[in-house]
Amino acid sequence: MAKLLIDNITSSCSLSDYKSYGGYTALEKALKLKPEEIVAEVQKSGLRGRGGAGFPTGMKWSFIAKPEGVPRHLVCNADESEPGTFKDRYLMQHKPHILVEGMIISSYALGANTSYIYIRGEMMFQFHILQNAIDEAYAAGLLGKNILNSGFNLDLHVHCGGGAYICGEETALIESLEGKRGNPRIKPPFPAVKGVWDRPTVVNNVETIAAVVPIINMGGEAYAKIGVGKSTGTKLISASGHINKPGVYEIELGVPVEEFIYSENYCGGIKGGRKLKAVVAGGSSVPILPAELILKTAKGEPRLMTYESLSEGGFATGTMLGSGGFIVMDESTSIVKNLFNFSRFYHHESCGQCSPCREGTMWMEKILRKFLEGRGTSADIDLLWDVQGKIEGKTICPLGDAAAWPVASAIRHFRAEFEEYVKNPQNIKDVRHYYRLNNLQEL
Amino acid sequence: MANKKIEFSPEALELVHRIIKRYPEGKQKSAILPILHIAQAEFDGWLSAPVMDYVASILKILPIEVYEVATFYSMFNLKPVGKCLIEVCRTGPCWLMGAEDVVKYIEKKLNIKEGETTKDGMFTLKTVECLAACGSAPMMQVGETYHENLTLEKVDSILQDYKSKGELVTHWDKKHIATNYTNLHE
Ligand SMILES: Cc1cc2nc3c(=O)[nH]c(=O)nc-3n(C[C@H](O)[C@H](O)[C@H](O)COP(=O)(O)O)c2cc1C
Ligand code: SF4
Ligand code: FES
């Protein structure tokens, strides 16, 4: 299968290099179409948001309000902070012009004349790469006034964050772009009606916007033929953890999970020939699944890398494709310890606006720390279950859910491991390790 | 500090004004995050209250609006830091691949605890959350550079390099203020 996004990765990411393999031909094509026709192509392609939620992009675009005389904006979400996800950074570093080209086409489709790429502050290296790409595009008449004599004007700016996972949530990102703390807004109103500076705004992930380029090049219908069912096109998967070949892979949606983990074309199997224990398939926020459920659904069918197949069985036996952050854990991994780490992350990143999330994430971290210290009790397992249930669905933004799901799924599938921490802490490597690292007394 | 006048260098000031122009008229507050990064590069790697007041005066907003933002985002240092701020990723995939050992090793080597600065003012050690480099874990960031696939030997030579250079390293690298600023399109 040909790659659509990360083909032709070379050491140079210059404009001339990008043009030498057909860069900016999609833009030329797009500017000859009407904006509505581009929206229609994207709708036909079946493209779904690559930032995590998987919402159909064409539909999202069709919702943008068009009040007379009010500017509209496109904002690219390059905040990529979901643990396990590193595809956007890779794409921006190696192929910044595909994002710039996608931004121009998408802005034209939406009728936006000023657009922003919001990149997380830690990625300052990629910030400057993008800035250089944008400067090259201005110099070549691809940005600015009357782009390629089409009469369309666009200013594109790259904006950097300051370090906060929550700013990846689209309304927090908008607040942050306005120069404020990244506190998510209550919806409605949705950004499509009232976004940045109260103007209609579309927020899309880096990969989503990049995918618009091949969609225009090949046509929406041809793009929709790639993949399976409603999971059309290709997807960048960030593969990490205990595998032989970690990295970013562009897959055709529909590759079997087993092939993805074991094939030499992808992860190349588990490090050291050890056994697979569990996978977090879509970034830290999605439910963890044990080996038998990630390779096959509860019905015994092979699990595929698609939105539908990964969520087959609901949360009882399934998970989500999410952002495509595929974290693999071998048999030596402690689920409890890993969960503590994720819970600490969500506690650290909660913006603090809603009490279930602010307090709940703090309690989950605290309780899990007890297990690592060899002080966990059976009642603590039930308490954890109770706390996560009191967060899910009761908060302003989905960070609360994202903090609850890993806890719920770890208890659902690995309860015996928590019980082992309660019964035999002295046998557990992590507990001893924890003590050694902290120079506490040996158990 | 007390009698040193707080003012951006002319290059930085020009850059700041170019950045402000990227946002609509009257929405200059939007420029605050990039400007705070530039301020850290200009003023020893951290944001003192007078520096934040100065940023407020440039953006024509209240000082409290700057404090509010600076305290929310983890990249802004509200206390002095060493010339070289080492940020080790401590999240899931990096943890699986040995980030804890990297942190403990640096603590021992530099004889500081996480969050502290070495006596000579060269290094500050901090742990941070996932930096989107999980495929090359464990990793750490120093300024705008990611050091990936770390081993303890690699850590040694990286620290040695920074120490021999002895320069202030910040996220918004000084070289992007001094030489590249003309590239920033208005
Ligand atoms: C806590 C939280 C963090 C998020 N982080 C990101 C992110 O880093 N990048 C991203 O594209 N979307 C992120 N999202 C999803 C965005 O809110 C939004 O759905 C997405 O940018 C929409 O773009 P898409 O439709 O192209 O996927 C996050 C959501 C939540 C709740
Ligand atoms: S759920 Fe958490 S992160 Fe989201 S708004 Fe509430 S407190 Fe903030
Ligand atoms: S977990 Fe360390 S970079 Fe993602």
Side-chain angles (χ1 to χ4, degrees):
Chain A
M1 198 336 294
K3 291 177 185 165
L4 303 177
L5 302 175
I6 54 170
D7 52 344
N8 297 309
I9 295 277
T10 54
S11 56
S12 147
C13 45
S14 68
L15 175 61
S16 57
D17 206 38
Y18 183 65
K19 276 192 159 167
S20 73
Y21 47 80
Y24 289 102
T25 49
L27 176 64
E28 280 173 33
K29 209 168 148 186
L31 290 175
K32 292 191 187 110
L33 300 172
K34 294 201 193 79
E36 314 79 85
E37 290 173 318
I38 298 175
V39 177
E41 279 312 309
V42 173
Q43 275 175 329
K44 269 189 250 165
S45 76
L47 176 67
R48 293 163 68 173
R50 303 299 196 219
F55 191 81
T57 306
M59 196 189 298
K60 188 172 192 170
W61 287 10
S62 70
F63 292 155
I64 192 163
K66 297 180 175 163
E68 203 52 47
V70 182
R72 306 190 273 278
H73 297 288
L74 170 64
V75 180
C76 172
N77 188 341
D79 193 59
E80 190 169 60
S81 317
E82 171 91 355
T85 313
F86 45 96
K87 63 184 176 85
D88 296 340
R89 173 171 160 267
Y90 180 86
L91 189 66
M92 291 185 288
Q93 177 164 335
H94 296 286
K95 236 174 141 179
H97 278 290
I98 194 172
L99 179 58
V100 174
E101 183 176 9
M103 283 299 285
I104 307 170
I105 299 171
S106 308
S107 300
Y108 174 67
L110 291 162
N113 299 110
T114 312
S115 297
Y116 298 88
I117 300 171
Y118 181 112
I119 188 167
R120 64 183 291 191
E122 292 90 341
M123 295 188 196
M124 213 51 100
F125 186 74
Q126 290 75 14
F127 173 97
H128 292 293
I129 288 179
L130 283 172
Q131 186 63 60
N132 276 327
I134 289 172
D135 290 338
E136 282 183 304
Y138 268 105
L142 299 164
L143 278 171
K145 295 245 161 2
N146 191 20
I147 295 169
L148 300 176
N149 290 319
S150 63
F152 174 59
N153 306 330
L154 177 67
D155 281 313
L156 177 60
H157 303 295
V158 46
H159 176 97
C160 60
Y165 167 66
I166 191 57
C167 289
E169 193 283 333
E170 59 185 11
T171 59
L173 183 138
I174 287 170
E175 286 283 300
S176 182
L177 182 55
E178 291 184 358
K180 299 185 224 152
R181 298 167 78 98
N183 288 342
R185 296 177 178 173
I186 294 174
K187 296 191 255 190
F190 288 92
V193 177
K194 247 181 168 203
V196 64
W197 309 301
D198 285 346
R199 300 167 177 180
T201 304
V202 165
V203 179
N204 272 133
N205 174 259
V206 171
E207 186 188 346
T208 311
I209 289 175
V212 172
V213 174
I215 288 171
I216 295 303
N217 267 329
M218 68 191 339
E221 254 166 55
Y223 185 88
K225 290 206 180 92
I226 307 168
V228 181
K230 287 189 172 165
S231 294
T232 63
T234 65
K235 173 91 191 79
L236 298 179
I237 305 292
S238 321
S240 69
H242 300 132
I243 45 178
N244 284 320
K245 293 166 55 191
V248 176
Y249 296 99
E250 182 169 2
I251 60 160
E252 172 169 355
L253 284 165
V255 172
V257 172
E258 185 156 6
E259 180 182 341
F260 185 70
I261 297 176
Y262 292 102
S263 157
E264 280 307 312
N265 294 330
Y266 306 111
C267 304
I270 311 297
K271 249 200 165 101
R274 284 191 292 269
K275 278 211 311 243
L276 173 67
K277 179 169 185 177
V279 171
V280 176
S284 62
S285 305
V286 311
I288 187 170
L289 287 184
E292 58 283 7
L293 280 177
I294 189 69
L295 298 175
K296 289 202 162 60
T297 65
K299 290 186 199 148
E301 289 158 1
R303 185 89 71 181
L304 309 179
M305 302 283 278
T306 62
Y307 293 94
E308 292 75 22
S309 179
L310 283 168
S311 56
E312 168 79 40
F315 279 4
T317 58
T319 181
M320 286 160 78
L321 178 63
S323 60
F326 197 88
I327 311 169
V328 178
M329 301 175 192
D330 72 13
E331 55 190 327
S332 72
T333 312
S334 158
I335 300 298
V336 177
K337 185 175 174 188
N338 190 68
L339 180 64
F340 159 74
N341 187 291
F342 282 161
S343 291
R344 177 175 68 181
F345 169 80
Y346 288 107
H347 175 213
H348 185 261
E349 300 300 332
S350 167
C351 84
Q353 278 191 108
C354 342
S355 12
C357 171
R358 181 187 61 242
E359 304 297 316
T361 52
M362 185 263 293
W363 279 108
M364 293 193 302
E365 181 192 339
K366 252 190 170 160
I367 299 165
L368 282 159
R369 191 184 290 275
K370 278 180 75 178
F371 285 92
L372 289 190
E373 291 175 359
R375 299 188 292 113
T377 65
S378 299
D380 285 328
I381 308 176
D382 298 329
L383 183 59
L384 259 183
W385 182 263
D386 188 56
V387 173
Q388 67 77 23
K390 290 194 164 108
I391 303 174
E392 191 194 358
K394 299 177 181 66
T395 56
I396 294 176
C397 92
L399 186 137
D401 303 336
W405 295 338
V407 174
S409 56
I411 299 178
R412 189 179 298 125
H413 301 298
F414 295 96
R415 192 176 180 112
E417 212 173 300
F418 287 83
E419 279 160 2
E420 194 55 26
Y421 269 78
V422 173
K423 277 189 248 148
N424 298 311
Q426 70 283 0
N427 293 348
I428 292 179
K429 195 175 102 236
D430 289 324
V431 175
R432 294 200 306 273
H433 192 57
Y434 184 90
Y435 272 69
R436 183 175 63 73
L437 287 173
N438 290 283
N439 302 319
L440 304 171
Q441 83 205 66
E442 273 299 330
L443 269 182
Chain B
M1 200 76 194
N3 41 19
K4 196 168 127 194
K5 193 154 165 42
I6 291 175
E7 217 165 54
F8 280 137
S9 61
E11 308 87 81
L13 197 61
E14 181 177 348
L15 173 60
V16 161
H17 284 298
R18 277 167 174 274
I19 291 175
I20 290 174
K21 282 199 208 134
R22 299 169 157 201
Y23 310 94
E25 198 70 43
K27 307 293 182 195
Q28 73 283 359
K29 183 176 171 177
S30 286
I32 191 165
L33 294 176
I35 293 178
L36 288 176
H37 282 297
I38 295 170
Q40 289 202 146
E42 289 271 297
F43 304 109
D44 305 319
W46 71 290
L47 302 174
S48 65
V51 165
M52 289 191 276
D53 295 348
Y54 173 65
V55 169
S57 74
I58 290 180
L59 288 174
K60 303 190 179 70
I61 56 179
L62 297 172
I64 182 73
E65 294 178 81
V66 181
Y67 307 160
E68 237 176 25
V69 166
T71 52
F72 184 86
Y73 296 91
S74 62
M75 292 177 78
F76 302 121
N77 305 312
L78 303 174
K79 285 190 306 206
V81 288
K83 283 186 174 157
C84 177
L85 175 61
I86 305 166
E87 296 172 295
V88 185
C89 171
R90 67 172 192 184
T91 319
C94 278
W95 234 43
L96 286 176
M97 307 310 286
E100 251 179 318
D101 293 327
V102 171
V103 174
K104 292 294 157 186
Y105 182 76
I106 299 177
E107 284 187 339
K108 222 172 126 199
K109 184 165 169 89
L110 298 179
N111 195 23
I112 50 174
K113 288 270 169 220
E114 186 197 321
E116 294 176 353
T117 302
T118 52
K119 279 211 188 73
D120 61 0
M122 187 60 219
F123 295 106
T124 300
L125 176 65
K126 191 174 160 189
T127 55
V128 294
E129 302 297 353
C130 179
L131 291 171
C134 333
S136 36
M139 61 81 64
M140 65 187 193
Q141 171 165 33
V142 180
E144 69 169 42
T145 310
Y146 278 22
H147 298 280
E148 304 172 52
N149 294 311
L150 291 177
T151 59
L152 302 184
E153 298 79 64
K154 234 170 151 174
V155 169
D156 276 341
S157 75
I158 293 165
L159 295 185
Q160 189 53 48
D161 278 358
Y162 283 109
K163 194 167 175 150
S164 43
K165 283 198 199 100
E167 290 164 2
L168 175 70
V169 190
T170 48
H171 290 107
W172 191 302
D173 196 293
K174 277 227 163 188
K175 71 173 184 260
H176 292 301
I177 296 175
T179 60
N180 251 12
Y181 70 92
T182 46
N183 283 348
L184 282 173
H185 203 92
E186 279 172 17

PDB file of all heavy atoms in Angstrom, chain A residues 166 184 350-354 357 395-397 399-400, ligand 2:
ATOM      1  N   ILE A 166      -3.767  19.817  28.664  1.00  0.00           N
ATOM      2  CA  ILE A 166      -5.179  20.170  28.482  1.00  0.00           C
ATOM      3  C   ILE A 166      -5.389  21.091  27.274  1.00  0.00           C
ATOM      4  O   ILE A 166      -6.465  21.120  26.688  1.00  0.00           O
ATOM      5  CB  ILE A 166      -5.764  20.799  29.785  1.00  0.00           C
ATOM      6  CG1 ILE A 166      -7.295  20.920  29.712  1.00  0.00           C
ATOM      7  CG2 ILE A 166      -5.137  22.134  30.097  1.00  0.00           C
ATOM      8  CD1 ILE A 166      -8.024  19.621  29.461  1.00  0.00           C
ATOM      9  N   PRO A 184     -10.899  24.507  29.631  1.00  0.00           N
ATOM     10  CA  PRO A 184     -11.909  24.191  28.621  1.00  0.00           C
ATOM     11  C   PRO A 184     -13.209  24.971  28.863  1.00  0.00           C
ATOM     12  O   PRO A 184     -13.545  25.307  30.001  1.00  0.00           O
ATOM     13  CB  PRO A 184     -12.140  22.689  28.824  1.00  0.00           C
ATOM     14  CG  PRO A 184     -10.849  22.195  29.368  1.00  0.00           C
ATOM     15  CD  PRO A 184     -10.365  23.301  30.272  1.00  0.00           C
ATOM     16  N   SER A 350      -4.812  17.907  35.100  1.00  0.00           N
ATOM     17  CA  SER A 350      -6.181  18.405  35.294  1.00  0.00           C
ATOM     18  C   SER A 350      -6.131  19.922  35.450  1.00  0.00           C
ATOM     19  O   SER A 350      -5.302  20.445  36.190  1.00  0.00           O
ATOM     20  CB  SER A 350      -6.772  17.787  36.563  1.00  0.00           C
ATOM     21  OG  SER A 350      -7.952  18.494  36.916  1.00  0.00           O
ATOM     22  N   CYS A 351      -7.025  20.622  34.741  1.00  0.00           N
ATOM     23  CA  CYS A 351      -6.973  22.086  34.832  1.00  0.00           C
ATOM     24  C   CYS A 351      -7.570  22.580  36.134  1.00  0.00           C
ATOM     25  O   CYS A 351      -7.384  23.729  36.512  1.00  0.00           O
ATOM     26  CB  CYS A 351      -7.670  22.730  33.635  1.00  0.00           C
ATOM     27  SG  CYS A 351      -9.457  22.887  33.826  1.00  0.00           S
ATOM     28  N   GLY A 352      -8.340  21.701  36.816  1.00  0.00           N
ATOM     29  CA  GLY A 352      -8.834  22.055  38.132  1.00  0.00           C
ATOM     30  C   GLY A 352     -10.188  22.741  38.180  1.00  0.00           C
ATOM     31  O   GLY A 352     -10.660  23.089  39.261  1.00  0.00           O
ATOM     32  N   GLN A 353     -10.822  22.894  37.011  1.00  0.00           N
ATOM     33  CA  GLN A 353     -12.125  23.580  37.026  1.00  0.00           C
ATOM     34  C   GLN A 353     -13.247  22.766  37.669  1.00  0.00           C
ATOM     35  O   GLN A 353     -14.131  23.330  38.288  1.00  0.00           O
ATOM     36  CB  GLN A 353     -12.581  23.878  35.592  1.00  0.00           C
ATOM     37  CG  GLN A 353     -12.002  25.082  34.962  1.00  0.00           C
ATOM     38  CD  GLN A 353     -12.727  25.408  33.666  1.00  0.00           C
ATOM     39  OE1 GLN A 353     -13.471  26.369  33.607  1.00  0.00           O
ATOM     40  NE2 GLN A 353     -12.532  24.608  32.647  1.00  0.00           N
ATOM     41  N   CYS A 354     -13.254  21.441  37.417  1.00  0.00           N
ATOM     42  CA  CYS A 354     -14.372  20.642  37.957  1.00  0.00           C
ATOM     43  C   CYS A 354     -13.868  19.787  39.109  1.00  0.00           C
ATOM     44  O   CYS A 354     -12.826  19.136  38.992  1.00  0.00           O
ATOM     45  CB  CYS A 354     -14.983  19.695  36.933  1.00  0.00           C
ATOM     46  SG  CYS A 354     -14.656  20.002  35.217  1.00  0.00           S
ATOM     47  N   CYS A 357     -12.939  15.892  38.590  1.00  0.00           N
ATOM     48  CA  CYS A 357     -11.660  15.649  37.919  1.00  0.00           C
ATOM     49  C   CYS A 357     -10.506  16.090  38.808  1.00  0.00           C
ATOM     50  O   CYS A 357      -9.554  15.335  39.032  1.00  0.00           O
ATOM     51  CB  CYS A 357     -11.647  16.385  36.575  1.00  0.00           C
ATOM     52  SG  CYS A 357     -10.046  16.402  35.757  1.00  0.00           S
ATOM     53  N   THR A 395     -17.909  15.730  34.013  1.00  0.00           N
ATOM     54  CA  THR A 395     -16.983  16.861  33.969  1.00  0.00           C
ATOM     55  C   THR A 395     -17.215  17.724  32.730  1.00  0.00           C
ATOM     56  O   THR A 395     -17.916  17.322  31.807  1.00  0.00           O
ATOM     57  CB  THR A 395     -15.521  16.350  33.956  1.00  0.00           C
ATOM     58  OG1 THR A 395     -15.371  15.470  32.848  1.00  0.00           O
ATOM     59  CG2 THR A 395     -15.178  15.620  35.233  1.00  0.00           C
ATOM     60  N   ILE A 396     -16.588  18.892  32.716  1.00  0.00           N
ATOM     61  CA  ILE A 396     -16.760  19.829  31.600  1.00  0.00           C
ATOM     62  C   ILE A 396     -16.150  19.271  30.323  1.00  0.00           C
ATOM     63  O   ILE A 396     -16.726  19.359  29.256  1.00  0.00           O
ATOM     64  CB  ILE A 396     -16.104  21.195  31.939  1.00  0.00           C
ATOM     65  CG1 ILE A 396     -16.849  21.866  33.112  1.00  0.00           C
ATOM     66  CG2 ILE A 396     -16.109  22.120  30.709  1.00  0.00           C
ATOM     67  CD1 ILE A 396     -16.219  23.171  33.576  1.00  0.00           C
ATOM     68  N   CYS A 397     -14.972  18.703  30.428  1.00  0.00           N
ATOM     69  CA  CYS A 397     -14.305  18.222  29.220  1.00  0.00           C
ATOM     70  C   CYS A 397     -13.955  16.749  29.386  1.00  0.00           C
ATOM     71  O   CYS A 397     -14.018  16.204  30.479  1.00  0.00           O
ATOM     72  CB  CYS A 397     -13.066  19.067  28.919  1.00  0.00           C
ATOM     73  SG  CYS A 397     -11.541  18.434  29.648  1.00  0.00           S
ATOM     74  N   LEU A 399     -11.244  15.191  29.652  1.00  0.00           N
ATOM     75  CA  LEU A 399     -10.058  14.758  30.389  1.00  0.00           C
ATOM     76  C   LEU A 399     -10.462  13.892  31.574  1.00  0.00           C
ATOM     77  O   LEU A 399      -9.768  12.951  31.935  1.00  0.00           O
ATOM     78  CB  LEU A 399      -9.198  15.938  30.854  1.00  0.00           C
ATOM     79  CG  LEU A 399      -7.871  15.514  31.514  1.00  0.00           C
ATOM     80  CD1 LEU A 399      -6.711  16.370  31.060  1.00  0.00           C
ATOM     81  CD2 LEU A 399      -7.936  15.514  33.033  1.00  0.00           C
ATOM     82  N   GLY A 400     -11.603  14.208  32.168  1.00  0.00           N
ATOM     83  CA  GLY A 400     -12.082  13.404  33.287  1.00  0.00           C
ATOM     84  C   GLY A 400     -12.275  11.952  32.875  1.00  0.00           C
ATOM     85  O   GLY A 400     -11.809  11.021  33.548  1.00  0.00           O
TER      86      GLY A 400
HETATM   87  S1  SF4 C   2     -12.543  17.610  33.263  1.00  0.00           S
HETATM   88 FE1  SF4 C   2     -10.643  18.148  34.317  1.00  0.00          FE
HETATM   89  S2  SF4 C   2      -9.402  19.108  32.713  1.00  0.00           S
HETATM   90 FE2  SF4 C   2     -11.520  19.077  31.922  1.00  0.00          FE
HETATM   91  S3  SF4 C   2     -12.394  21.038  32.517  1.00  0.00           S
HETATM   92 FE3  SF4 C   2     -12.833  19.632  34.200  1.00  0.00          FE
HETATM   93  S4  SF4 C   2     -11.117  19.870  35.646  1.00  0.00           S
HETATM   94 FE4  SF4 C   2     -10.500  20.766  33.701  1.00  0.00          FE
END
